């Protein structure tokens, strides 16, 4: 598969990451980040998701356009763009609260049509579209970011649809990471990538496990590093690159992401209403998953 022919759709979540102390907000969210990094790595990338017509939503749109990501599937809906508030406490980044705004949506017929022409679609736990994964997998390969989900029941439901399953495992030792990869492969994923921060990362498949160390840097901001790594891994797998080369390139790219604020830059003055902010626990308790496809959706894809 040639570099120029690669098409990747990122479907789902977005957010502006608001650095309260700096009064700056940066476009982000797992799927927005993935689309941007896939484009930087040479793929034709599109983002499908929803924002509001406010300063935050326009910042996300403008950043995607500046990065060369296709935005024909970006929806503007009444309400508020999703945001996450970040503070610094003792030099450490702390997530204070967030609001998902209008970001949780079901795919439209146009989204599914683009997906059908793609080499892969990327989504994840933050997009709340697990009920759609079987349908996505019937159209193209699925890349799914589990983040810190380790529950085997959840893995067993999602992994069969995954070409690539990604995990954030900075708190896992090597043996725990290997066991998580083995579990995910056993439940049907084709590839599993687990990032472990300064301890490096591993890429597992049925024919073996490859590991690579992290590239040492003095980080300015680690936000987006894991998304960078997973995006580079997906691009490399789709191109048929050797696992060792994929991991090396992904580690170098993730290190570069850590050298500037925000997930991929494009910061603007912070301008949003924080009165709607919820705690992370409140968000996960109140957010309902997107219902699955109704009969007839396959015909429209």
């Amino acid at each position: 598969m040639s570099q120029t022919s690669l098409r990747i759709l990122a479907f789902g979540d977005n957010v502006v990451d608001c650095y309260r102390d700096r009064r700056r907000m940066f476009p982000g969210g797992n799927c927005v980040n993935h689309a941007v990094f896939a484009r930087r790595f040479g793929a034709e990338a599109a983002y499908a998701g929803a924002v509001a017509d406010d300063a935050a939503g326009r910042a996300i749109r403008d950043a995607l356009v500046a990065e060369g990501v296709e935005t024909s599937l970006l929806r503007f809906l009444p309400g508020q763009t999703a945001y996450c508030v970040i503070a610094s406490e003792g030099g450490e980044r702390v997530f204070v609260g967030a609001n998902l705004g209008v970001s949780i949506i079901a795919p439209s017929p146009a989204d599914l049509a683009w997906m059908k022409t793609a080499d892969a679609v990327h989504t994840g736990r933050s997009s709340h579209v697990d009920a759609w994964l079987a349908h996505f997998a019937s159209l193209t390969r699925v890349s799914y970011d589990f983040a810190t989900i380790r529950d085997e029941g959840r893995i067993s439901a999602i992994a069969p649809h995954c070409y690539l399953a990604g995990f954030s495992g900075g708190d896992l030792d090597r043996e725990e990471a290997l066991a998580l990869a083995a579990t995910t492969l056993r439940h049907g994923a084709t590839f599993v990538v687990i990032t472990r921060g300064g301890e490096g990362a591993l890429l597992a498949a049925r024919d073996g496990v490859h590991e690579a160390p992290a590239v040492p840097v003095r980080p300015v901001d680690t936000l987006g590093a894991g998304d960078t790594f997973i995006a580079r891994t997906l691009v490399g797998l789709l191109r048929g690159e050797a696992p060792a080369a994929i991991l090396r390139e992904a580690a170098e790219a993730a290190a570069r992401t850590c050298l500037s604020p925000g997930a991929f830059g494009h910061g603007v003055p912070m301008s949003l209403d924080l009165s709607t902010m919820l705690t992370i626990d409140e968000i996960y308790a109140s957010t309902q998953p997107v219902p699955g496809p109704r009969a007839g959706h396959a015909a429209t894809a």
Side-chain angles (χ1 to χ4, degrees), residues 226-245:
D227 295 337
T228 307
F229 202 106
I230 293 174
R232 184 60 183 86
T233 299
L234 178 62
V235 168
L237 290 171
L238 293 172
R239 288 180 185 155
E241 295 174 355

Side-chain angles (χ1 to χ4, degrees), residues 147-230:
T148 56
I149 290 175
R150 317 276 170 71
D151 175 70
E152 187 168 357
R154 184 86 173 269
I155 291 171
S156 68
I158 296 170
H161 308 303
C162 293
Y163 173 73
L164 175 64
F167 292 88
S168 175
D171 59 325
L172 301 177
D173 63 29
R174 181 174 181 272
E175 293 308 312
E176 290 170 332
L178 289 170
L180 177 60
T183 296
T184 309
L185 291 172
R186 186 173 70 251
H187 284 298
T190 304
F191 295 98
V192 181
V193 60
I194 302 177
T195 58
R196 298 179 53 227
E199 299 302 315
L202 63 84
L203 176 61
R206 290 173 181 80
D207 61 355
V209 177
H210 300 267
E211 300 179 68
V215 173
V217 294
R218 189 183 298 275
V220 172
D221 188 354
T222 59
L223 193 68
D227 295 337
T228 307
F229 202 106
I230 293 174

Side-chain angles (χ1 to χ4, degrees), residues 41-76:
F41 300 141
E44 178 185 349
Y47 171 70
V51 297
D53 189 11
D54 52 19
R58 292 189 292 273
I60 290 172
R61 177 203 58 199
D62 293 348
L64 289 169
V65 170
E67 290 285 345
V69 174
E70 183 179 328
T71 57
S72 63
L73 301 174
L74 179 64
R75 307 180 209 173
F76 281 85

